[in-house]
Amino acid sequence: VALVSVIATFATAHRLGPFAFGNDPNASLMLMELYFGVMTISSLLGGAVVAQRNRAQRELEAAHRELEERVVQRTQELRHVNADLELEIAERRRTEARLHLLARAFEHSGEPALITDASMHIISVNPAFSAVTGYSAAEINGRDLNLLAALGQGKGLYEQLLTRLGQAGE
């Protein structure tokens, strides 16, 4: 750039080259200086733009790496959560299968059976219970367990139930 500037100045001072402007060497030199000034400013702006672009590119790459790391981390977390959910689903299926078997055993048992809630209200009775007592599920469900003693089912059955419940700790 310095060599081109020296050659352009020499040529312009001797009224040669593209900057030779009429017979006035000062006007020609001013035209050349204006050209080099515009070129210098353009070069500086271009360099600033390239530097800014490079800085933005580095920041974008850093942000991309950070995002990729977060995606990998979150994917691992989701895999762990998914594995836990799969275990929970499997356990619930096993529990559901056991409950289904218990419900079938309750329903098909030859022994009278009933289920109460914590307040000792009858929730369900099996067909054997209905056959022994004569009360259908619709008639007795929702009633208090004390009803059995009041209905004349004998203190033996009622007290047996209470004793068994007491032994089970329920």
Side-chain angles (χ1 to χ4, degrees), residues 91-109 115:
E91 181 58 32
R92 285 185 183 196
R93 285 182 178 151
R94 285 190 294 274
T95 299
E96 185 178 302
R98 286 191 294 262
L99 289 175
H100 180 71
L101 287 174
L102 286 172
R104 288 184 56 144
F106 174 79
E107 191 67 28
H108 297 289
S109 172
I115 300 172

Side-chain angles (χ1 to χ4, degrees), residues 2-153:
L3 181 61
V4 170
S5 297
V6 169
I7 292 170
T9 302
F10 178 79
T12 301
H14 290 85
R15 293 187 199 121
L16 300 171
F19 301 111
F21 185 69
N23 291 330
D24 186 10
N26 287 334
S28 297
L29 288 172
M30 285 184 69
L31 180 63
M32 184 190 70
E33 286 179 22
L34 178 64
Y35 171 78
F36 280 118
V38 168
M39 291 306 292
T40 301
I41 291 171
S42 297
S43 296
L44 290 173
L45 286 175
V49 167
V50 168
Q52 178 65 21
R53 182 196 162 281
N54 289 342
R55 185 183 65 77
Q57 181 69 29
R58 287 190 303 273
E59 288 176 359
L60 183 62
E61 288 170 356
H64 179 75
R65 281 191 303 275
E66 181 182 331
L67 183 60
E68 287 292 326
E69 290 169 3
R70 288 176 55 198
V71 166
V72 167
Q73 179 184 12
R74 186 66 180 141
T75 300
Q76 290 173 347
E77 291 171 3
L78 289 174
R79 282 186 181 135
H80 289 354
V81 168
N82 191 40
D84 291 345
L85 287 174
E86 287 175 357
L87 288 174
E88 185 177 335
I89 288 169
E91 181 58 32
R92 285 185 183 196
R93 285 182 178 151
R94 285 190 294 274
T95 299
E96 185 178 302
R98 286 191 294 262
L99 289 175
H100 180 71
L101 287 174
L102 286 172
R104 288 184 56 144
F106 174 79
E107 191 67 28
H108 297 289
S109 172
E111 296 293 319
L114 59 87
I115 300 172
T116 67
D117 61 13
S119 302
M120 302 300 280
H121 290 96
I122 299 170
I123 297 173
S124 182
V125 296
N126 70 353
F129 179 90
S130 294
V132 169
T133 63
Y135 295 102
S136 71
E139 294 173 307
I140 203 153
N141 284 351
R143 301 300 242 339
D144 193 289
L145 187 60
N146 291 327
L147 177 68
L148 290 179
L151 292 175
Q153 292 300 320

